Amino acid sequence: MKFYRILVAVDGGGEGLRSHGEFVWRGQKLRYTVALKSARRLMEDGSPLSMTANGPLADFFFDGRAGFMRGLALVGRLSVNSGNFRTLARWLGSDIGPGNGLSSFTLSGALDASQGQAKISHATVSLDETTAKGTVS
């Protein structure tokens, strides 16, 4: 992973952290923003966290709470949007192979990722002209 143009700012009192910039992951340049309310609270009860990453293959958004009490934990709203699911899947390491369809993709819901497991409840998943609602785990 290569990082470019990174800006980090510490909020008043030295607890909060804001950062934005660009990085390259798996050959794709992404722009990101991160806003963390309290670095100290990450090891306690968790801290409010907002993150975005935008690139040519997808846009990612998370707004919720993060902590490291028992390993990494993320709880909050998540959304992913992509204009080409097939290409996005290949970039993430799952080659679906050639074919028609599997273009427009959106995923949104309430993420609960902790203790090595992830669940997205109240999820809405759209792929091309098909939409499903429920829980993804």
Side-chain angles (χ1 to χ4, degrees):
M1 184 180 307
K2 293 181 182 179
F3 287 90
Y4 302 93
R5 298 189 314 165
I6 296 174
L7 174 67
V8 177
V10 177
D11 291 341
E15 285 195 27
L17 174 76
R18 294 183 182 278
S19 178
H20 70 273
E22 296 176 347
F23 65 95
V24 174
W25 185 57
R26 294 188 175 195
Q28 295 293 320
K29 185 183 272 190
L30 295 133
R31 292 172 311 283
Y32 78 93
T33 63
V34 174
L36 176 69
K37 186 170 184 179
S38 173
R40 177 184 51 81
R41 288 176 54 192
L42 284 173
M43 299 305 284
E44 296 172 358
D45 61 340
S47 174
L49 173 71
S50 179
M51 300 186 299
T52 63
N54 310 98
L57 299 179
D59 296 319
F60 303 90
F61 171 78
F62 173 80
D63 186 43
R65 194 166 198 83
F68 289 103
M69 289 86 46
R70 288 176 225 91
L72 175 63
L74 294 171
V75 177
R77 295 290 305 162
L78 169 75
S79 69
V80 179
N81 300 297
S82 176
N84 191 318
F85 180 74
R86 193 178 301 277
T87 303
L88 175 64
R90 186 177 318 114
W91 179 60
L92 294 173
S94 295
D95 192 355
I96 297 172
N100 295 324
L102 303 183
S103 295
S104 178
F105 170 74
T106 63
L107 165 66
S108 64
L111 174 68
D112 185 349
S114 59
Q115 299 179 349
Q117 298 182 3
K119 176 173 79 171
I120 303 171
S121 53
H122 309 288
T124 301
V125 181
S126 297
L127 183 57
D128 294 333
E129 300 299 319
T130 303
T131 298
K133 295 183 182 230
T135 299
V136 178
S137 60

